[in-house]
Amino acid sequence: MSKYKELKRECYEANMQLPALDLVIYTFGNVSAVDRDESVFAIKPSGVPYDDLKPEDIVIVDFENNLVEGSMRPSSDTKTHAYLYSQWEDIGGIAHTHATYSVAWAQAQRDIPIFGTTHADHLVADIPCAPPMPDEYIEGDYEHMTGKQILDCFADKGISHKEVEMVLLGNHGPFSWGKTAAKAVYNSKVMEELGRMAYLTLQINPEAPRLKDALIKKHYQRKHGKNAYYGQN
Amino acid sequence: MSKYKELKRECYEANMQLPALDLVIYTFGNVSAVDRDESVFAIKPSGVPYDDLKPEDIVIVDFENNLVEGSMRPSSDTKTHAYLYSQWEDIGGIAHTHATYSVAWAQAQRDIPIFGTTHADHLVADIPCAPPMPDEYIEGDYEHMTGKQILDCFADKGISHKEVEMVLLGNHGPFSWGKTAAKAVYNSKVMEELGRMAYLTLQINPEAPRLKDALIKKHYQRKHGKNAYYGQN
Amino acid sequence: MSKYKELKRECYEANMQLPALDLVIYTFGNVSAVDRDESVFAIKPSGVPYDDLKPEDIVIVDFENNLVEGSMRPSSDTKTHAYLYSQWEDIGGIAHTHATYSVAWAQAQRDIPIFGTTHADHLVADIPCAPPMPDEYIEGDYEHMTGKQILDCFADKGISHKEVEMVLLGNHGPFSWGKTAAKAVYNSKVMEELGRMAYLTLQINPEAPRLKDALIKKHYQRKHGKNAYYGQN
Amino acid sequence: MSKYKELKRECYEANMQLPALDLVIYTFGNVSAVDRDESVFAIKPSGVPYDDLKPEDIVIVDFENNLVEGSMRPSSDTKTHAYLYSQWEDIGGIAHTHATYSVAWAQAQRDIPIFGTTHADHLVADIPCAPPMPDEYIEGDYEHMTGKQILDCFADKGISHKEVEMVLLGNHGPFSWGKTAAKAVYNSKVMEELGRMAYLTLQINPEAPRLKDALIKKHYQRKHGKNAYYGQN
């Protein structure tokens, strides 16, 4: 029996949340879950419809993109996951979808502005939209450089991936991450809902102001700060 | 056996309506139900996903925010509920959601205009949007002052919470109330639908006029007036 | 046993289609079915949630709004149905909903333009929006005059209720009719979808032209004309 | 037993995907599947609701529109399918829907711009919108000329039906095709989603640029090029 059985199951269940949460159709999207002790991660096989996906189809890959276990080809986006895991040592899962509103903001090449407390409950900044990749990135090791484009964006904007667990890649779509694969998927769903709320907000009032600092701080702190009082423990 | 068993069940069932009616995702939102004889109310525990929620998880709190019964921490918005119950002695339930269109109007900081008879079947005024809270309210006893901000808004606009059972809090989202917790949830769903209809109305015709007074009066009276003839008794 | 058992069942089943087709929430909307031989019609009781509705709850009323059979109060819109049945002797059912896009067009006080063949498959004209009712209509016998307002609109525009089986009442919402109650509901659903398509069309291209005459004629005739070849006989 | 039993089943199952994927309501739309060896195709009967459709209802027709097998009248759009099969010898299935966003773009008479990698994963060009048909086409052999209008559009724009497996017909709606009937339906669903994403993109940023060439090429090649590495094999 595979020593990665539990990791595959975690990855499988997180992937199956994508269609359940209306974040993907057909074979779009992929989720991975990492095992830091083994320095490997589990990821969806490429191009398999969610209806057909089984836990044993999940592929195990290391951070240099070598196949460790599995009979199927891993997601074509595997190198992006590998790069992010190698650079951000504290994340446990990554999700990539083609969710409608998130993709629309990415195609519009616009950050999703922080307009309300629903947003501040999750992060204190606009959801960043990384610029479309330069041609030399695209024509080189594309999926690897996709990860680099995301890190470049966070460096340029001076934001931390620990506080902002989601990003839009210009002209492409959303990536998110978290302590676990399930949390990465949660962040994808939240980003999609924030993108939908922000879209409607601007349609109703194109001059809608960003959330005031006191509310940003209050809502983020009550959920994530030292003296957080949201949730159980 | 708890003497609050029935109250907890009423509160539980009203909370479970929120995801069923597409008004929340994950742990967003909360509903409470009051027992006026005992001067306590039942409320959702903080941060518990609806899928996991059980009737016995519901927490009993008094109007001074003291825990009366329950092993879990109550909703982080509990003080807002407590303040509204203490100030408005005739309400029996309160609902708070992050429903998409309601939040969009709140983020746009706009009242939802009364455009049609669907609206007038429920209230005779625009759905008010209270301004974002001043910094001293936010940095003080935030959730208590959230309740105060709502009362300030009703006082400033000269409207009664008996006739307008719903409000948007600027940059945050919707609150609603009613004779029962179930009615409070009903009002949240109606507000969301009125917000969606009003949004579309303005997209089709940015100059759409408010509903004429004769129709406002007619529709509200036939449902809620002395000689109401809508419904059974 | 009631001699109206079959009529009640037809009416009940047509009413239950409204929530199934996402045309109403809660107690909104109502459908009726007529028995021309008996000069009576069956209609939903007022204010009853669809989840609770049973075939035996359906109320039988005559064209002068007298209760013929039933223990519940009929829909508050009953007089509108009675008036339309009395004036249009060839219709067999009427539906009234508060479907979102239909209400938005009614609140915008705009006809739904005929933009494509989906529309022309059903009718050759814009879906008319009757103006909001004059105050004397509202303050008089309101629901009776609602029917009159619809007939006035068709007379003013010179259109026939046989060719245009649907209307928007300004600031209120949609009414539709047909040979049977089921067909009336079908027309409500089609109107909602046409309203949604037309809304999106104008958002994409505010200068979108109306459908050309040759296509209007072709699509309507192939489905409804003398030499129609759509469907099975 | 019919020698077309398998072909009918393929056609039936592809048709049943249309309501399952929210691409049609009622009797709208139709899918066909071809048997190149027999020079016939299977198609939905005209005007039959999907809920009532059975595999044995599917009609077999040849490329000159002669009925080969079946007791029902074939889709009123049969001649369009026949023309496309006769002209494009490598396609195996055709789908036609009245999906909402696709129809909206067709009614707006606008190509769906290629804004992102979701689009480039499927085709390298804008989704073309053929102009509304000239009156002499409409008044002549309408459904046959509908097919011709599609081919004219591809010739005028210099695009290949092998690389662009979908089209909008101005004022009417979407047609798509593929190696199989199932793939044709897949293309209809993808087109609808691309139309929705593009609509939202333009609402957020009316100046959104088309996708850069390097990304168009990269995404299309990794999925469809000689060295494609998406999917299994």
Side-chain angles (χ1 to χ4, degrees), chain A residues 122-141:
Chain A
H122 297 92
L123 70 165
V124 298
D126 295 349
I127 299 173
C129 182
M133 292 165 69
D135 285 10
E136 60 271 26
Y137 278 25
I138 298 166
E139 287 151 9
D141 193 356

Side-chain angles (χ1 to χ4, degrees), chain D residues 2-14:
Chain D
S2 166
K3 72 198 244 193
Y4 302 115
K5 192 174 174 191
E6 266 319 293
L7 186 66
K8 288 182 184 177
R9 174 152 296 275
E10 180 194 351
C11 176
Y12 167 76
E13 287 176 357

Side-chain angles (χ1 to χ4, degrees), chain D residues 11-93:
Chain D
C11 176
Y12 167 76
E13 287 176 357
N15 272 286
M16 293 308 286
Q17 281 294 299
L18 297 189
L21 293 167
D22 284 328
L23 297 173
V24 297
I25 56 171
Y26 291 116
T27 64
F28 295 14
N30 44 73
V31 186
S32 66
V34 81
D35 181 332
R36 288 287 174 189
D37 293 333
E38 301 283 340
S39 295
V40 298
F41 62 98
I43 194 164
K44 182 176 179 291
S46 182
V48 175
Y50 292 92
D51 280 352
D52 300 339
L53 190 65
K54 293 184 293 292
E56 56 267 32
D57 296 338
I58 300 295
V59 185
I60 304 294
V61 184
D62 69 19
F63 299 166
E64 288 75 44
N65 300 299
N66 301 303
L67 180 71
V68 173
E69 186 177 296
S71 55
M72 302 185 93
R73 187 189 286 175
S75 165
S76 57
D77 295 315
T78 295
K79 286 184 180 177
T80 309
H81 292 243
Y83 185 78
L84 295 179
Y85 283 127
S86 70
Q87 298 294 310
W88 292 340
E89 300 187 359
D90 44 9
I91 65 172

Side-chain angles (χ1 to χ4, degrees), chain A residues 21 115-118 186 193 196-197 201 203-205 211-212 214-215 218-219 222 229-232, chain B residues 26-28 46-47 72-73 76-77 98 100 104 107-110 133 135 138 142-143 171-172 199 203:
Chain A
L21 293 166
F115 280 135
T117 63
T118 319
Y186 172 91
E193 183 62 15
R196 193 172 161 225
M197 286 172 169
T201 300
Q203 297 286 313
I204 296 170
N205 181 4
L211 187 62
K212 62 198 301 191
L215 273 172
K218 179 70 192 172
H219 268 261
R222 76 174 194 159
Y229 50 91
Y230 182 92
Q232 306 297 327
Chain B
Y26 292 117
T27 64
F28 296 13
S46 183
M72 302 185 93
R73 187 188 287 174
S76 55
D77 296 315
H98 285 241
T100 312
Q107 293 186 159
Q109 299 184 21
R110 293 271 168 88
M133 292 165 68
D135 285 10
I138 297 166
Y142 175 62
E143 290 81 6
N171 285 134
H172 189 149
Y199 161 76
Q203 296 286 312

Side-chain angles (χ1 to χ4, degrees), chain D residues 159-173:
Chain D
I159 51 181
S160 158
H161 73 277
K162 297 183 197 184
E163 292 185 359
V164 176
E165 296 185 322
M166 53 191 76
V167 71
L168 300 170
L169 182 58
N171 285 135
H172 189 151

Side-chain angles (χ1 to χ4, degrees), chain C residues 17 21 101 115-119 121-122 182 185-187 189-190 193-194 196-201 203-212 214-215 218-219 222-223 228-233, chain D residues 25-28 44-48 71-77 98-101 103-110 132-135 138-140 142-143 170-173 192 195 199 202-203:
Chain C
Q17 282 293 298
L21 294 166
Y101 287 86
F115 280 135
T117 62
T118 320
H119 192 128
D121 282 337
H122 297 92
V185 172
Y186 172 90
N187 284 331
K189 179 67 177 177
V190 165
E193 183 62 16
L194 295 176
R196 193 172 160 225
M197 287 172 168
Y199 162 75
L200 292 169
T201 300
Q203 296 286 314
I204 296 170
N205 181 3
E207 308 301 323
R210 289 174 84 256
L211 187 63
K212 61 197 303 189
L215 273 172
K218 180 68 192 174
H219 268 262
R222 76 175 193 160
K223 204 159 172 179
Y229 50 91
Y230 181 93
Q232 307 296 327
N233 303 316
Chain D
I25 56 171
Y26 291 116
T27 64
F28 295 14
K44 182 176 179 291
S46 182
V48 175
S71 55
M72 302 185 93
R73 187 189 286 175
S75 165
S76 57
D77 295 315
H98 285 241
T100 312
Y101 287 86
V103 167
W105 282 95
Q107 293 186 160
Q109 300 184 20
R110 293 271 167 89
M133 292 165 67
D135 284 11
I138 298 165
E139 286 151 10
Y142 175 62
E143 289 82 7
N171 285 135
H172 189 151
E192 178 68 2
Y199 161 76
L202 286 176
Q203 297 287 313

